[in-house]
Amino acid sequence: MLTANLQHLDKDYDVVVVGGGPAGMAAALGAKETGAEKVLIVDREKEAGGILLQCIHPGFGLQHFREELTGPEYAERYKQQVLDAGIHVATDTYVLDIDQDKQVKLLSGTDGVRLINTKAAVLSMGARERTRGAIRTPGHRPAGILTAGLAQKFVNLMGYLPGNKAVILGSGDIGLIMARRLTLEGVEVKGVFEIMPHANGLNRNIVQCLHDYDIPLHLSTTVVDLQGRDRLEKITVAPVDSHFQPDLSKSWDIDCDTLLLSIGLIPENELTRRLKIRLDPVTQGAVVNSQMETSKDGVFVCGNVVHIHDLVDFVSAESELTGRNAGLYVTDQQPPGDNIRLVPGENVRYCVPHTISSDRTHTVYMRASQPMEESILRLGDVYEKKLRYVVPAEMINLKVRPRFLQNFHGETLKVDILPVDNT
Amino acid sequence: MVYDVAIVGGGITGCAIARELTRYHLQVILLEKEAEVGFGVSKANSGIIHGGHHGKPNTLKGKLEWTGNQLWDTLHEELGFGFQRNGELTVALQEDQLPTLAELKWQGETKGVPGLELWEQEKLQKEEPHLSPDIIAGLYAPTTGVINPYEACFNLIENACLNGLELVTDCPVTGLSQDKDYWTIQTPKGEYASRFILNAAGLFADEIAKMAGVGDFTIRPRKGEEYLLDKRLQGYVKRVIFPCPTPVSKGILVIPTFDGTLMVGPTAEMIDDKHDLTTSSAGSSQVFNSVTQVVPGISARDCIAEFAGLRPVADGEDFIIGPTAKRGFFNVAGIQSPGLTAAPAIATLILDILHEEGLNLSPKDNFTPSIEKPIHFASLPTEAQMELAKRDSSYSHLICRCEFVTEGEILDAISRGARTLDGLKFRTRAGMGRCQGGFCSGRCMELLSQKLDIPVSEVTKRGGNSWIVRERDEVFSSDV
């Protein structure tokens, strides 16, 4: 367990990291490596590690550690490094506010309300799950309707089951993982329903969590009614047309007492908003430069608070970079600023970071809007790369190297994903 | 023992009456069928203390609206529930609506409602810049306020209990019989005897009246759907915004709730099923379509939660308050909008009636009008937060991160009577914010389990069969 390793908080820090999940831990380590001396991780739970701790299934670390780990194992690897690096960890501690001068107001289980100062801040608060209100599912409001992540917490951390017969709305990864998890626990999982014509989770999860357990996946279908006064008793599902309008004449009922929602994640940017940092309406995270610094000087971001990742491995990589830059910031070694703005074009929902510099190598993360078979990823006129297939569920990352940009003198670069026959 | 007064129903009406009765030397009992008070009609409505000018002066509800309105300040001072007079604007989009505004103003002034003002476009845009520029005029009423109706119920009943009320929850009345001097009330928890019975059973008041043999009216539910928006819209409008009313409806409102959330609604639909609390796609479209005509910046995308409430509508639409053909049995029924506003006035009125009908009202010397106000950690100044967290470390553990609710507040709410997750939510706001309990539910369930000494699997959302989790199956038996 990575619990608090200090008696009391100090008054001043070089870098304060908000959130001790995979993003926060990697960022804290990165900051230490580039010279930040006093680094503090603040986590609201009794133990740092974030959502990894409730992800007891394997499949983590294939990219980053070249071996397959469970969530808690992945967190454990970082925990040891964090302790060895002498990073302060405050658990059961919540950041109530950060002001423009980077004074941080904390509510700490051991120290009560405290004000501390920091030279740089890393925001790595992660994401929250979308709830029923976000999709306004009609019907009653009984017990038994909950997000997949909360169900995961009940089962894996608290040791309780959310019900007897379950249906899952949305094909996000947590929903798929929970379909398998509940089946293994003896809960009857009657199906996964996805309003989009394609699944929203990773293909490997569709195979390993649904196909292997004969759990049906119904695409272009959604829940149109919920029945049951005290506890959920029955739901009605119906196919939708291309405008997502349900065809009620083809609806059918399913007896179930539990509905898990796996309908997407929303970056937790309340602190970011309070700092009046510029946000990207598409990612719902901060607009960042290639150092993962926001519009507010000395405030950096990483992980799901910037954009939703599908693999923790990418979170680690991105966050380590963020932390390194925060360390460079507090030791006055920041590299020069960016000179090129990336603009999402055809079939590209967003790019992170939003700007890059032509004299350094950057990893640019992006997501497609639509699935596409054979396609070409094109960076303005300067670079292109064949992609086997793209799906919105799987993040694309591209190493942009200085040599691509040798002969480029513009200020904006459009990023497109085009079908092969159109190029 | 024989009680002096038994109140059937712990909604805002029953709670307000109970609290008034405990001022006197009386044995009073309140029977509530739900797990906690305020869990019926009173928890799911617009939460508005109406300005006093909307109701027709020739109706009982129109009269009690304005009398009730004026009683809330004292109650608020004594009991500390969320309440604020933030004012109201009834707005006109077309020239032909202007006479309605003028009529409302005249109607209010006739009743003595102070401060009504007609505002022109320029003033409206200055005061409420997010209103549609198409709005040509508005009637401002400073007397209108917003309230947390469930909190008002909880605090009224807490104070009543402090002054000797006996409260029994999870206790539906199943039968009534009249003896010579008193009534016998049958419930699954046993029989209770009382000289007077007050029927404040909300949606089910007609059924209770029938049990007493005076079932000469029906209550029909009128459903209203409401939609709550993300708190980042806090302050987007400051006053309650009413569209210009039509003869059939007050229309869809924009309500800046006491807790800083915007709420839009309600719809108004007569239905048959008194348990039908469903929301619908049609309701959602109606709410957002009409609300954007008045405040165009509001979007369904900002919705974090929705709910529906039922208004108990009696035949003839007015309140039914008073004695019946059966001695000792009194109705307080049909308390639909503006029932919340009128509740304190209803309580005063029914006490007068009881007095006339022979109930001796002899004041207690030791009546305590106040309760110890619940602490709301997030709204304290930093210095006070530091002091409190130092004094009691339960205030240094955060439980609900959307609404900044600490463990201390949760424990306090349980000690004051919260028995369910909804009870905690309505008392502390834990679980009411944008993540809708995703973060805090587990911890709240554990705290309820510890303090009530029940297994986590017996914690419910709102009583009855609304269980949340079950125990794991014993997979590994010894003979495997």
Side-chain angles (χ1 to χ4, degrees):
Chain A
M1 263 176 73
L2 180 50
T3 51
N5 61 356
L6 63 162
Q7 284 292 310
H8 294 290
L9 293 160
D10 286 342
K11 187 93 188 73
D12 297 285
Y13 283 91
D14 290 327
V15 179
V16 168
V17 178
V18 186
M25 290 193 290
L29 286 166
K32 266 283 185 188
E33 276 169 32
T34 50
E37 278 177 23
K38 292 185 68 182
V39 179
L40 170 71
I41 297 177
V42 180
D43 196 88
R44 66 192 186 184
E45 296 285 355
K46 291 196 163 52
E47 185 183 350
I51 296 301
L52 281 175
L53 300 181
Q54 67 186 55
C55 297
I56 62 169
H57 53 282
F60 299 91
L62 286 166
Q63 307 260 347
H64 198 73
F65 291 110
R66 305 270 167 220
E67 62 180 301
E68 191 171 25
L69 305 170
T70 64
E73 283 170 343
Y74 192 100
E76 187 70 20
R77 299 266 171 125
Y78 272 94
K79 168 201 150 174
Q80 203 48 54
Q81 295 178 52
V82 164
L83 292 178
D84 292 348
I87 292 164
H88 285 192
V89 181
T91 51
D92 187 15
T93 301
Y94 194 81
V95 174
L96 293 170
D97 203 6
I98 302 181
D99 71 11
Q100 294 293 332
D101 301 325
K102 299 193 205 80
Q103 188 184 56
V104 185
K105 182 178 171 186
L106 299 165
L107 181 62
S108 145
T110 50
D111 285 10
V113 179
R114 287 288 304 270
L115 298 171
I116 61 173
N117 297 305
T118 187
K119 291 179 192 152
V122 175
L123 306 182
S124 50
M125 292 86 76
R128 67 170 181 273
E129 296 177 279
R130 288 176 82 208
T131 63
R132 179 180 172 187
I135 52 171
R136 281 166 292 130
T137 309
H140 281 98
R141 266 164 308 287
I145 302 164
L146 66 167
T147 59
L150 178 58
Q152 190 176 45
K153 183 175 177 180
F154 284 155
V155 180
N156 292 347
L157 295 183
M158 292 174 67
Y160 297 99
L161 297 180
N164 300 295
K165 293 180 217 166
V167 166
I168 296 167
L169 176 61
S171 59
D173 287 308
I174 316 170
L176 302 177
I177 294 289
M178 284 312 291
R180 174 175 66 186
R181 185 79 188 98
L182 290 180
T183 305
L184 293 173
E185 286 287 339
V187 175
E188 186 187 347
V189 178
K190 296 196 156 186
V192 176
F193 293 84
E194 170 58 57
I195 195 169
M196 301 295 284
H198 52 82
N200 268 321
L202 297 173
N203 193 50
R204 72 172 198 219
N205 284 335
I206 306 272
V207 174
Q208 294 173 9
C209 300
L210 300 188
H211 294 179
D212 288 359
Y213 295 86
D214 293 328
I215 298 167
L217 169 63
H218 301 265
L219 297 174
S220 297
T221 313
T222 194
V223 177
V224 294
D225 195 17
L226 302 165
Q227 290 160 54
R229 271 168 52 199
D230 286 352
R231 178 78 195 190
L232 186 65
E233 289 164 13
K234 194 191 278 182
I235 67 166
T236 309
V237 294
V240 298
D241 64 19
S242 55
H243 298 93
F244 307 113
Q245 290 306 304
D247 180 353
L248 296 179
S249 70
K250 292 188 186 141
S251 70
W252 73 97
D253 290 348
I254 302 173
D255 286 318
C256 59
D257 60 16
T258 306
L259 178 68
L260 300 195
L261 304 176
S262 179
I263 52 177
L265 300 172
I266 304 172
E268 286 267 36
N269 275 301
E270 282 66 52
L271 278 178
T272 328
R273 280 205 182 87
R274 210 166 308 168
L275 279 162
K276 303 202 191 312
I277 284 169
R278 222 173 107 212
L279 298 180
D280 176 337
V282 177
T283 58
Q284 300 185 57
V287 171
V288 287
N289 65 20
S290 63
Q291 298 169 50
M292 300 302 284
E293 191 179 9
T294 65
S295 60
K296 167 83 187 154
D297 181 58
V299 177
F300 298 79
V301 286
C302 56
N304 277 353
V305 80
V306 193
H307 60 130
I308 303 300
H309 299 62
D310 33 67
L311 293 180
V312 70
D313 306 72
F314 295 139
V315 170
S316 296
E318 177 190 285
S319 304
E320 191 190 322
L321 173 82
T322 303
R324 294 182 69 85
N325 284 315
L328 295 175
Y329 174 87
V330 298
T331 51
D332 280 331
Q333 307 175 68
Q334 250 187 326
D338 298 333
N339 56 344
I340 297 172
R341 193 159 62 87
L342 296 174
V343 180
E346 281 295 310
N347 200 24
V348 176
R349 276 193 63 218
Y350 70 79
C351 302
V352 167
H354 297 72
T355 58
I356 56 173
S357 149
S358 55
D359 54 14
R360 295 190 295 275
T361 298
H362 306 287
T363 303
V364 174
Y365 298 97
M366 64 193 84
R367 263 183 208 279
S369 313
Q370 297 295 327
M372 206 177 266
E373 291 282 326
E374 295 283 306
S375 59
I376 302 267
L377 170 61
R378 188 179 261 183
L379 205 56
D381 294 331
V382 301
Y383 176 78
E384 60 179 46
K385 179 187 175 183
K386 266 208 170 128
L387 298 175
R388 203 151 38 90
Y389 70 95
V390 295
V391 283
E394 305 202 3
M395 201 160 75
I396 301 159
N397 61 70
L398 174 70
K399 275 243 173 352
V400 179
R401 299 178 192 282
R403 65 180 158 84
F404 301 171
L405 304 166
Q406 258 166 17
N407 300 314
F408 179 73
H409 303 293
E411 288 178 352
T412 61
L413 255 184
K414 199 152 146 266
V415 187
D416 297 302
I417 298 173
L418 302 165
V420 167
D421 39 22
N422 264 19
T423 54
Chain B
M1 80 177 269
V2 178
Y3 291 91
D4 294 306
V5 185
I7 302 163
V8 181
I12 189 68
T13 314
C15 292
I17 296 170
R19 198 256 183 174
E20 277 311 297
L21 285 170
T22 54
R23 289 178 187 274
Y24 304 97
H25 285 288
L26 295 169
Q27 298 293 335
V28 186
I29 187 169
L30 189 148
L31 306 174
E32 166 55 47
K33 73 174 169 56
E34 300 292 332
E36 300 188 36
V37 296
F39 268 27
V41 173
S42 301
K43 75 165 183 195
N45 54 67
S46 296
I48 294 173
I49 297 304
H50 287 283
H53 56 302
H54 281 282
K56 295 255 178 295
N58 58 351
T59 60
L60 183 55
K61 61 181 185 183
K63 282 178 207 143
L64 294 177
E65 175 194 0
W66 174 229
T67 326
N69 175 298
Q70 300 165 80
L71 296 172
W72 280 104
D73 300 280
T74 311
L75 285 176
H76 173 242
E77 273 163 38
E78 290 170 342
L79 304 174
F81 44 78
F83 169 64
Q84 187 196 0
R85 289 192 193 267
N86 55 337
E88 164 199 323
L89 281 168
T90 305
V91 296
L93 279 155
Q94 293 143 25
E95 291 284 334
D96 61 7
Q97 293 173 332
L98 295 177
T100 311
L101 295 192
E103 196 186 308
L104 271 179
K105 182 166 185 278
W106 175 82
Q107 182 169 286
E109 282 164 354
T110 315
K111 286 158 87 178
V113 178
L116 291 162
E117 287 172 14
L118 280 168
W119 286 3
E120 291 180 353
Q121 208 168 26
E122 197 185 339
K123 171 118 184 181
L124 283 170
Q125 286 298 324
K126 190 169 148 259
E127 293 288 333
E128 294 286 355
H130 294 111
L131 284 185
S132 161
D134 297 339
I135 291 171
I136 54 174
L139 175 64
Y140 169 63
T143 44
T144 299
V146 290
I147 187 169
N148 288 336
Y150 31 83
E151 239 178 69
C153 291
F154 297 144
N155 294 10
L156 280 163
I157 217 72
E158 182 179 335
N159 183 244
C161 289
L162 187 70
N163 288 297
L165 172 79
E166 190 173 337
L167 169 70
V168 190
T169 52
D170 285 317
C171 189
V173 171
T174 52
L176 292 170
S177 55
Q178 193 176 18
D179 290 306
K180 192 162 166 290
D181 296 322
Y182 58 88
W183 289 79
T184 303
I185 307 167
Q186 282 103 42
T187 79
K189 289 194 167 174
E191 290 190 345
Y192 301 92
S194 177
R195 286 171 59 214
F196 291 87
I197 293 185
L198 296 185
N199 172 18
L203 288 162
F204 305 93
D206 51 350
E207 293 166 36
I208 297 292
K210 208 170 281 168
M211 289 178 201
V214 285
D216 53 358
F217 64 94
T218 55
I219 298 287
R220 288 190 62 206
R222 184 187 284 133
K223 187 158 81 175
E225 298 182 23
E226 309 257 16
Y227 293 81
L228 282 158
L229 309 181
D230 192 284
K231 225 175 194 174
R232 82 191 167 75
L233 291 168
Q234 179 160 18
Y236 199 71
V237 300
K238 294 187 277 294
R239 300 166 184 82
V240 182
I241 310 294
F242 284 67
C244 189
T246 65
V248 287
S249 166
K250 278 184 193 155
I252 306 289
L253 323 180
V254 183
I255 306 154
T257 68
F258 176 80
D259 291 309
T261 327
L262 276 193
M263 183 162 82
V264 292
T267 56
E269 181 198 358
M270 290 309 297
I271 58 169
D272 296 319
D273 181 359
K274 290 177 178 177
H275 299 285
D276 177 0
L277 292 168
T278 57
T279 48
S280 65
S281 312
S284 150
S285 313
Q286 190 202 338
V287 166
F288 285 98
N289 287 344
S290 50
V291 113
T292 44
Q293 290 176 22
V294 180
V295 185
I298 286 179
S299 155
R301 277 200 307 271
D302 288 310
C303 181
I304 59 160
E306 70 279 276
F307 64 86
L310 301 177
R311 313 163 179 92
V313 180
D315 312 324
E317 294 274 340
D318 209 349
F319 297 164
I320 300 175
I321 299 173
T324 63
K326 297 279 173 129
R327 195 163 52 83
F329 186 88
F330 295 77
N331 284 318
V332 193
I335 312 299
Q336 59 157 316
S337 177
L340 175 60
T341 310
I346 294 173
T348 317
L349 174 65
I350 196 76
L351 256 70
D352 288 345
I353 296 172
L354 288 171
H355 185 58
E356 279 167 30
E357 298 283 327
L359 182 70
N360 184 21
L361 297 181
S362 130
K364 286 180 198 163
D365 295 334
N366 57 350
F367 175 76
T368 311
S370 304
I371 57 169
E372 200 180 316
K373 312 273 191 307
I375 289 169
H376 186 234
F377 188 82
S379 57
L380 296 175
T382 301
E383 290 298 312
Q385 289 177 335
M386 287 177 166
E387 181 56 36
L388 179 60
K390 201 174 287 173
R391 201 172 68 227
D392 181 346
S393 66
S394 68
Y395 287 92
S396 62
H397 303 287
L398 195 94
I399 301 291
C400 166
R401 65 120 187 76
C402 299
E403 300 292 327
F404 295 142
V405 184
T406 59
E407 187 180 294
E409 290 159 275
I410 302 284
L411 294 175
D412 180 53
I414 299 172
S415 75
R416 288 168 190 262
R419 292 292 172 269
T420 61
L421 266 196
D422 274 4
L424 279 183
K425 176 168 89 173
F426 290 133
R427 282 179 175 83
T428 67
R429 291 191 61 75
M432 215 182 260
R434 47 173 70 94
C435 93
Q436 290 286 295
F439 179 65
C440 69
S441 298
R443 195 73 193 105
C444 286
M445 286 156 65
E446 284 172 346
L447 290 170
L448 279 167
S449 157
Q450 283 162 22
K451 288 289 146 190
L452 303 177
D453 199 19
I454 55 172
V456 169
S457 55
E458 283 178 24
V459 173
T460 64
K461 178 169 163 55
R462 52 171 169 258
N465 191 37
S466 64
W467 56 279
I468 300 158
V469 294
R470 68 173 175 93
E471 302 288 342
R472 255 187 164 107
D473 300 315
E474 283 302 328
V475 181
F476 303 106
S477 64
S478 52
D479 48 80
V480 170

